[in-house]
Amino acid sequence: MSALYGTYARSELAFERGEGVRLYAQDGTTYLDFHSGIAVNALGHGDPHLVSALKAAAEKVWHTSNVFTIPEQERLARRLVEATFADAVFFTNSGAEALECAIKTARHHFFAKGEPERYEIIAFTGSFHGRTLGTIAAGGNPHYLEGFGPPLAGFAHVAPGDLAAVEAAVNPASCAVLIEPVQGEGGVTAMPAEFMRGLRELCDRYGLLLVLDEVQCGYGRTGRFFAHEWSGITPDIMAVAKGIGAGFPLGACLATARVAASMVPGTHGSTYGGNPLACAVGNAVLDRVLEPGFLEHVDRMGQRLAWHLAQLAQRFPQYVLEQRGKGLLAGIRITPPVRDFVARLRRDHHLLCQGAGDNVLRLLPPLIVTEADIEEAVGKLADAFTALDQEAASLATGA
Ligand code: PLP
């Protein structure tokens, strides 16, 4: 009997070791990892550059707090600013905390401008922003809100893709629009570039801030450093996590100077956020992600994965209803219940992947994946569909 909270429907599978896109279970079985700890292990497992950065950092100073200057943190922030739209960074330990910072930054910007009545954020149905009280209100999913008292006020929800609905939701209390450029948990839905550009234009027209949640779709996963780059727009604020630490808990809220200006001493803080260990790893991750050719590789592998999934969909139209996603944040909407299918893939085919809303099977390989790995994974999916066919046939014969 586990002594843990029962908050997760965990598998009993436990891993001992990892290397690249493979994980090795305690019983010695090898698994192909198209899960990456839910889009976290961007560089796979046991990357030598990350391992040596963490070991070197562990020999120095583990923690000092943000009361002191943390050189690795300063350096990571400078590099992120150089590589993005942003002028300033606040480091966190998780995605939800990055979103909390983003929400506070947006609201405080208007407070400091003498417009405290503008605190409402227009967000989208099907989105996921985390599990804190603030981020479950931002996500608006009734299942996650139920039982936890009144939701944090100040969020309106409209359907993604519907610019007219966003415009209709704008009111004197509005301060920002919050969106995932590719919805992950909700069902792997990529926002059309036209819609992203429309949101930017609408925000500019009404004086709203555009806040992006790139916790899952950012940090190279779609083949660009950040997913919004595909649409050519820039946000005012952006929440980042997962890939930024590639397995070490790290997140960040990035903002323009204009917007970050009101976040003065006393407005926000974190004991651990951006500590020396986390930022040493963060810098090592960035070395790799910004290496020439890295993002091009992700883009190419994303296209190959999409191609192989399209073949699979043609071969098994009875099981694959739709292809979704962008780059290596890929999904297929399937007919068998996705939770059971994920368990079947793990148990019978030793392939790790994740479900998402709308009965979508989510494929999130490490960004270092090769086409041979992709072929192997899609081969395992084909084997699993074939097994379903055979079971259906033998049931029919049995009957
Ligand atoms: N935002 C998005 C888009 C996510 O996918 C997640 C986690 O899956 C979060 C926020 C929350 O991140 P964390 O679980 O690190 O708090």
Side-chain angles (χ1 to χ4, degrees), residues 168-187:
V170 177
N171 68 76
S174 305
C175 75
V177 171
L178 166 63
I179 189 159
E180 293 165 80
V182 185
Q183 286 189 345
E185 303 298 314

Side-chain angles (χ1 to χ4, degrees), residues 18-83:
E19 199 180 329
V21 299
R22 285 177 173 71
L23 276 168
Y24 303 91
Q26 285 175 332
D27 67 1
T29 311
T30 305
Y31 289 80
L32 184 59
D33 185 7
F34 269 51
H35 183 270
S36 302
I38 319 188
V40 167
N41 302 95
L43 302 178
H45 302 279
D47 180 89
H49 186 54
L50 298 198
V51 171
S52 67
L54 182 58
K55 279 184 175 164
E59 298 287 340
K60 297 183 195 167
V61 178
W62 284 30
H63 181 77
T64 56
S65 96
N66 287 301
V67 167
F68 303 102
T69 295
I70 301 172
E72 285 283 355
Q73 187 187 110
E74 296 281 348
R75 177 162 174 258
L76 183 54
R78 176 67 39 218
R79 297 174 75 195
L80 287 172
V81 161
E82 277 165 13

Side-chain angles (χ1 to χ4, degrees), residues 119-148:
Y119 62 84
E120 191 176 283
I121 295 178
I122 301 168
F124 293 89
T125 50
S127 60
F128 181 79
H129 299 298
R131 294 294 205 137
T132 60
L133 286 168
T135 55
I136 56 175
N141 182 333
H143 297 301
Y144 298 160
L145 283 162
E146 189 182 38
F148 297 106

Side-chain angles (χ1 to χ4, degrees), residues 215-306:
V215 165
Q216 185 158 161
C217 62
Y219 242 74
R221 185 145 289 277
T222 68
R224 293 280 175 96
F225 191 25
F226 288 102
H228 66 264
E229 293 171 23
W230 289 107
S231 61
I233 59 140
T234 57
D236 301 290
I237 303 173
M238 177 169 71
V240 181
K242 294 192 185 269
I244 190 176
F248 200 98
L250 179 63
C253 176
L254 280 64
T256 61
R258 176 177 79 95
V259 174
S262 91
M263 297 302 279
V264 294
T267 53
H268 200 46
S270 165
T271 297
Y272 285 124
N275 94 348
L277 291 179
C279 288
V281 175
N283 273 306
V285 174
L286 203 54
D287 292 341
R288 296 287 312 280
V289 171
L290 296 184
E291 233 166 42
F294 186 91
L295 294 171
E296 289 78 2
H297 170 81
V298 179
D299 186 25
R300 212 165 44 249
M301 289 305 111
Q303 290 179 34
R304 296 316 295 155
L305 178 57

Side-chain angles (χ1 to χ4, degrees), residues 87-366:
D87 304 303
V89 184
F90 182 94
F91 286 106
T92 69
N93 312 288
S94 69
E97 287 171 277
L99 264 301
E100 290 281 346
C101 181
I103 294 163
K104 284 181 71 175
T105 303
R107 288 182 170 191
H108 206 260
H109 170 71
F110 286 95
F111 171 82
K113 280 199 337 166
E115 299 174 84
E117 70 285 358
R118 292 183 68 179
Y119 62 84
E120 191 176 283
I121 295 178
I122 301 168
F124 293 89
T125 50
S127 60
F128 181 79
H129 299 298
R131 294 294 205 137
T132 60
L133 286 168
T135 55
I136 56 175
N141 182 333
H143 297 301
Y144 298 160
L145 283 162
E146 189 182 38
F148 297 106
L152 180 70
F155 294 96
H157 293 92
V158 300
D162 187 348
L163 262 188
V166 181
E167 186 160 14
V170 177
N171 68 76
S174 305
C175 75
V177 171
L178 166 63
I179 189 159
E180 293 165 80
V182 185
Q183 286 189 345
E185 303 298 314
V188 195
T189 310
M191 297 301 141
E194 234 1 82
F195 180 61
M196 295 302 291
R197 285 193 282 271
L199 284 181
R200 178 70 271 178
E201 195 273 323
L202 192 139
C203 285
D204 291 342
R205 191 146 36 93
Y206 289 97
L208 307 178
L209 300 176
L210 180 60
V211 184
L212 298 184
D213 178 346
E214 293 235 15
V215 165
Q216 185 158 161
C217 62
Y219 242 74
R221 185 145 289 277
T222 68
R224 293 280 175 96
F225 191 25
F226 288 102
H228 66 264
E229 293 171 23
W230 289 107
S231 61
I233 59 140
T234 57
D236 301 290
I237 303 173
M238 177 169 71
V240 181
K242 294 192 185 269
I244 190 176
F248 200 98
L250 179 63
C253 176
L254 280 64
T256 61
R258 176 177 79 95
V259 174
S262 91
M263 297 302 279
V264 294
T267 53
H268 200 46
S270 165
T271 297
Y272 285 124
N275 94 348
L277 291 179
C279 288
V281 175
N283 273 306
V285 174
L286 203 54
D287 292 341
R288 296 287 312 280
V289 171
L290 296 184
E291 233 166 42
F294 186 91
L295 294 171
E296 289 78 2
H297 170 81
V298 179
D299 186 25
R300 212 165 44 249
M301 289 305 111
Q303 290 179 34
R304 296 316 295 155
L305 178 57
W307 186 84
H308 286 286
L309 289 175
Q311 303 294 305
L312 185 79
Q314 269 185 20
R315 194 172 148 202
F316 297 100
Q318 69 277 37
Y319 296 127
V320 183
L321 300 176
E322 189 189 343
Q323 226 179 309
R324 293 188 181 177
K326 182 96 186 144
L328 295 178
L329 173 43
I332 46 175
R333 193 159 69 84
I334 58 175
T335 49
V338 73
R339 181 186 282 265
D340 299 344
F341 195 65
V342 164
R344 169 188 285 269
L345 287 169
R346 190 171 59 224
R347 185 187 63 234
D348 298 343
H349 306 279
H350 303 156
L351 174 67
L352 306 176
C353 30
Q354 177 75 17
D358 216 9
N359 213 54
V360 168
L361 181 73
R362 202 168 6 153
L363 301 163
L364 303 159

